C-alpha cells in the first residue's frame, strides 16, 4: 500500500502534511507515530519535530474501481462508472454509449471483466467483497429474457411430458432459471454436463419421479 513519512512541529501537522501528499482523507489512512515532538533544552537546543508514517488503507472497492477504469481507458471506451450497493454486493454500473464491446456475446465479456475486477479487488483484502458489473442495464434485461425462456420451455416440457434440455449457460444464468422455477410444483430443474458446457434440464414432476 502507498505510504509516506512526514515530519512537522506537531503530530497533527505531520499527519496533515502526509494526507496532502497522498491526496486522501484522514479516514482512509493508518497513522504510525515514529517520533514524538520534543521542545529540547529551553525550548531551543535539541528540539525535535514529530515524525509519522501514514499508510493508505486497502479498500477493495477502490482497487476494483481503479482497475476497471484503467481497462476502459486502455480499450478507448468513453464511459463512466457509478457505484451503488446492490442485493448481491457492490454494483459498478458502466454508463456510456455503444457499450456492446464491453458486454460481449451474451454478456461473456462483461462476465470475464467482472471476474478480473473481483480478483484485483480482493487479492489483498481480509474480507471478501463481491463486485457486480453491469452496462446498459444488461443484467436486468438478460434476467428478463432468461425468465421468459424458462416459462416457454416449461410449457413445452409439460405439454410433451418429457424433460427438455436448455443450451449451455454460465453458472450465473443457470441460477436465474433455477430461482425463477423453484417455486413451481409441476416441474423440477437440475444441471448436467461439465463446464463450460453445463446446461439446465427442466423436467415435469411425473417424468422426473
Amino acid at each position: 500500500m502507498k505510504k509516506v513519512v512526514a515530519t512537522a512541529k506537531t503530530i497533527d501537522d505531520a499527519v496533515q502534511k502526509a494526507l496532502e501528499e497522498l491526496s486522501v482523507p484522514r479516514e482512509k489512512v493508518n497513522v504510525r507515530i515514529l517520533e514524538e515532538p520534543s521542545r529540547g533544552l529551553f525550548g531551543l537546543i535539541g528540539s525535535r519535530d514529530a515524525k509519522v508514517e501514514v499508510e493508505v488503507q486497502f479498500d477493495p472497492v477502490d482497487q476494483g474501481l481503479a482497475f476497471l477504469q484503467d481497462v476502459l481507458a486502455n480499450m478507448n471506451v468513453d464511459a463512466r462508472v457509478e457505484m451503488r450497493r446492490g442485493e448481491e454486493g457492490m454494483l459498478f454500473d458502466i454508463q456510456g454509449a455503444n457499450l456492446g464491446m464491453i458486454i460481449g456475446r451474451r454478456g461473456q465479456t462483461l462476465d470475464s471483466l467482472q471476474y478480473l475486477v473481483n480478483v484485483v479487488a480482493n487479492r489483498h483484502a481480509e474480507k471478501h467483497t463481491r463486485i457486480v458489473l453491469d452496462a446498459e442495464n444488461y443484467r436486468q434485461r438478460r434476467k428478463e429474457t432468461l425468465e421468459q425462456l424458462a416459462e416457454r420451455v416449461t410449457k413445452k416440457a409439460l405439454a410433451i411430458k418429457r424433460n427438455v434440455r436448455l443450451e449451455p449457460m454460465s453458472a450465473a444464468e443457470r441460477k436465474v432459471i433455477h430461482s425463477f422455477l423453484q417455486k413451481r410444483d409441476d416441474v423440477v430443474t437440475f444441471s448436467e454436463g461439465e463446464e463450460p458446457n453445463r446446461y439446465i434440464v427442466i423436467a415435469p414432476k411425473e417424468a422426473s419421479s
Side-chain angles (χ1 to χ4, degrees):
M1 291 296 95
K2 189 174 181 181
K3 59 184 176 182
V4 300
V5 174
T7 58
K9 294 298 182 183
T10 68
I11 290 174
D12 286 344
D13 287 346
V15 170
Q16 184 58 39
K17 184 178 178 181
L19 292 176
E20 291 173 359
E21 183 174 344
L22 292 167
S23 299
V24 293
R26 177 66 179 82
E27 62 270 15
K28 293 261 185 183
V29 301
N30 295 320
V31 176
R32 187 161 70 98
I33 300 172
L34 302 178
E35 292 182 6
E36 296 276 359
S38 173
R39 296 183 61 187
L41 184 62
F42 306 121
L44 297 171
I45 302 172
S47 62
R48 183 177 64 197
D49 285 349
K51 181 186 285 189
V52 298
E53 180 184 80
V54 178
E55 182 177 26
V56 178
Q57 297 173 358
F58 183 85
D59 187 327
V61 173
D62 287 346
Q63 294 294 315
L65 177 61
F67 173 76
L68 176 59
Q69 290 173 330
D70 284 345
V71 171
L72 294 176
N74 289 329
M75 294 176 68
N76 294 317
V77 175
D78 185 15
R80 68 183 186 279
V81 181
E82 292 190 359
M83 297 188 302
R84 62 179 180 271
R85 182 67 62 180
E87 293 181 0
E88 298 184 30
M90 183 61 69
L91 175 66
F92 285 4
D93 189 9
I94 306 171
Q95 299 189 359
N98 303 316
L99 297 180
M101 173 171 139
I102 291 295
I103 297 171
R105 182 176 180 271
R106 294 185 180 173
Q108 290 178 346
T109 303
L110 191 65
D111 287 342
S112 297
L113 188 53
Q114 176 176 291
Y115 171 78
L116 292 174
V117 167
N118 276 275
V119 169
V120 171
N122 290 287
R123 59 184 171 182
H124 298 303
E126 295 182 1
K127 183 179 180 181
H128 187 273
T129 297
R130 175 166 169 73
I131 297 174
V132 177
L133 263 60
D134 200 1
E136 296 181 343
N137 201 32
Y138 172 80
R139 300 291 185 196
Q140 182 60 33
R141 290 188 289 111
R142 182 60 176 164
K143 179 175 182 288
E144 292 171 358
T145 298
L146 290 171
E147 289 176 348
Q148 291 168 6
L149 172 65
E151 190 69 44
R152 291 198 306 271
V153 175
T154 295
K155 288 180 180 179
K156 177 181 178 181
L158 292 173
I160 65 176
K161 297 182 180 180
R162 290 173 53 190
N163 295 359
V164 179
R165 187 177 86 177
L166 278 68
E167 61 187 30
M169 297 178 185
S170 67
E173 292 192 337
R174 295 198 306 271
K175 181 180 178 181
V176 170
I177 292 180
H178 285 309
S179 298
F180 180 68
L181 295 177
Q182 68 179 356
K183 294 181 180 179
R184 295 191 62 133
D185 57 8
D186 51 357
V187 295
V188 293
T189 63
F190 51 90
S191 294
E192 290 185 342
E194 301 295 330
E195 300 289 3
N197 297 312
R198 196 161 171 78
Y199 55 86
I200 283 181
V201 176
I202 298 178
K205 283 267 178 93
E206 299 82 1
S208 63
S209 58

